Amino acid sequence: MNQKAFQDFYPDELSHCYGCGRLNKHGLQIKSYWDGEETVTLFQPRANHIGIDGYVYGGLIASIIDCHCIGTAAAAAYKSENRNMDTDPPLRFVTASLHVDYLRPTPIGVSLEIRGKVQEIKNRKVIVSATLLAEGEVCARGQVIAVQMPKNMMPVIR
Amino acid sequence: MNQKAFQDFYPDELSHCYGCGRLNKHGLQIKSYWDGEETVTLFQPRANHIGIDGYVYGGLIASIIDCHCIGTAAAAAYKSENRNMDTDPPLRFVTASLHVDYLRPTPIGVSLEIRGKVQEIKNRKVIVSATLLAEGEVCARGQVIAVQMPKNMMPVIR
């Protein structure tokens, strides 16, 4: 994909997230993109990211869905303001709630595709749904209620 | 705590979970115990387990709640059958759904306490709620619907 990922637009001081921060070298560093009206990320879990042998750990699935939906919320908020993601002030979201339904065991060892869809944008809140696929089969569905990060969470710039 | 953790009763072939498997050396290895009618785990996130600087990553919170509730489901299922956790056949649960409400930012650098409570046991399903506290304040609440692991997920013994 030639586009820049949503997470690559996050300012440095907001790019340390374990799930998607490009500056968290121990983290998952997921990358999310527009794909038409939906958003997509591809992620290959590590061999030790298992729950039961052979299957991906549910907590990891929740983590990828969380960060992909938060990235989608940010991208959608810029879009709704007709702004590019490299313009100020930055719009960064945090998770108010996360729900995941595990529909079938997710096989380990293959690339996972997570697709996001904006359900609602209202003031500082964005609701995003997600579908996780492995080898073309839907293995999990999720929903995140994302809210704009409160100002008092803003880190002091290092 | 002098008790053996729920997860330490899981058979070896079911002890590779990234969140709670005692044999997953890269994982979180959470340990859950009875505390009266409730269950408890204490967990100290690593410095890189952050979402925004200063605050614990939501995906990690979801992961700990997931594994603690799954452990609680197993312990409760044995208890409902008046069996010790070291008796056969093993009762191992997987996650059907996971819900987390993030009530306030969870500070990094302190030990987190996650308390579980069985809401319902019915046939192969156990519903467990969880409360996550940091420095005595409730930061998140969760709920897991746990179901007994289907036989076809059972790994071949290595």
Side-chain angles (χ1 to χ4, degrees):
Chain A
M1 300 189 201
N2 290 323
Q3 309 166 55
K4 201 166 152 183
F6 304 157
Q7 293 85 3
D8 290 337
F9 288 107
Y10 292 172
D12 286 1
E13 62 274 21
L14 296 175
S15 292
H16 296 98
C17 174
Y18 187 82
C20 64
R22 67 179 186 284
L23 302 179
N24 189 326
K25 64 182 179 191
H26 301 285
L28 308 174
Q29 300 203 350
I30 75 154
K31 304 282 185 195
S32 304
Y33 305 89
W34 285 113
D35 183 16
E37 289 298 301
E38 294 189 355
T39 60
V40 66
T41 186
L42 300 176
F43 185 81
Q44 172 112 20
R46 295 196 306 255
N48 59 51
H49 281 151
I50 51 172
I52 305 292
D53 279 15
Y55 302 107
V56 178
Y57 172 46
L60 182 84
I61 289 171
S63 298
I64 310 170
I65 287 178
D66 182 15
C67 281
H68 180 61
C69 290
I70 288 295
T72 298
Y78 280 99
K79 200 176 178 186
S80 76
E81 296 184 5
N82 290 312
R83 287 170 50 194
N84 287 328
M85 288 192 78
D86 56 1
T87 58
D88 282 323
L91 295 172
R92 180 73 157 86
F93 285 72
V94 293
T95 310
S97 83
L98 167 66
H99 184 91
V100 182
D101 290 315
Y102 299 89
L103 306 177
R104 71 183 75 215
T106 301
I108 194 90
V110 300
S111 178
L112 307 179
E113 178 181 347
I114 298 92
R115 303 192 66 82
K117 206 167 179 176
V118 177
Q119 300 296 335
E120 189 185 322
I121 305 190
K122 199 174 176 185
N123 302 325
R124 297 171 63 86
K125 186 175 90 175
V126 184
I127 301 178
V128 183
S129 63
T131 304
L132 181 144
L133 300 106
E135 300 176 314
E137 278 209 299
V138 176
C139 297
R141 291 191 199 278
Q143 188 179 66
V144 166
I145 299 178
V147 291
Q148 270 196 47
M149 190 184 80
K151 279 210 178 78
N152 61 5
M153 282 184 78
M154 189 69 188
V156 176
I157 294 175
R158 307 196 258 201
Chain B
M1 300 189 203
N2 290 325
Q3 309 166 54
K4 201 166 154 184
F6 303 156
Q7 292 86 3
D8 290 336
F9 289 106
Y10 292 171
D12 286 1
E13 63 274 22
L14 296 175
S15 291
H16 296 96
C17 175
Y18 186 82
C20 64
R22 68 178 187 283
L23 302 178
N24 189 326
K25 63 182 177 190
H26 300 285
L28 307 174
Q29 301 202 349
I30 75 154
K31 303 282 185 196
S32 304
Y33 305 89
W34 284 113
D35 183 17
E37 288 299 301
E38 293 188 357
T39 60
V40 66
T41 185
L42 300 176
F43 185 80
Q44 172 112 18
R46 295 196 306 256
N48 59 50
H49 281 150
I50 51 172
I52 306 292
D53 279 14
Y55 303 107
V56 178
Y57 173 45
L60 182 84
I61 289 171
S63 299
I64 310 169
I65 287 177
D66 181 16
C67 281
H68 180 61
C69 290
I70 288 295
T72 298
Y78 280 99
K79 200 176 177 184
S80 76
E81 296 183 5
N82 290 314
R83 286 170 51 195
N84 288 329
M85 288 191 77
D86 55 2
T87 58
D88 281 325
L91 295 172
R92 180 74 158 85
F93 284 72
V94 293
T95 310
S97 83
L98 166 66
H99 185 89
V100 182
D101 290 314
Y102 300 89
L103 306 177
R104 69 184 75 215
T106 301
I108 193 90
V110 299
S111 178
L112 306 179
E113 178 180 347
I114 297 92
R115 303 192 65 83
K117 207 166 177 176
V118 177
Q119 301 295 335
E120 189 184 322
I121 304 190
K122 198 173 177 184
N123 302 325
R124 297 172 63 84
K125 187 174 87 173
V126 183
I127 301 177
V128 183
S129 63
T131 303
L132 180 143
L133 299 106
E135 300 176 314
E137 278 209 299
V138 175
C139 297
R141 290 189 199 278
Q143 189 179 66
V144 166
I145 299 178
V147 291
Q148 269 195 51
M149 190 185 79
K151 280 209 178 79
N152 61 5
M153 283 185 78
M154 189 70 189
V156 177
I157 294 175
R158 309 195 261 201

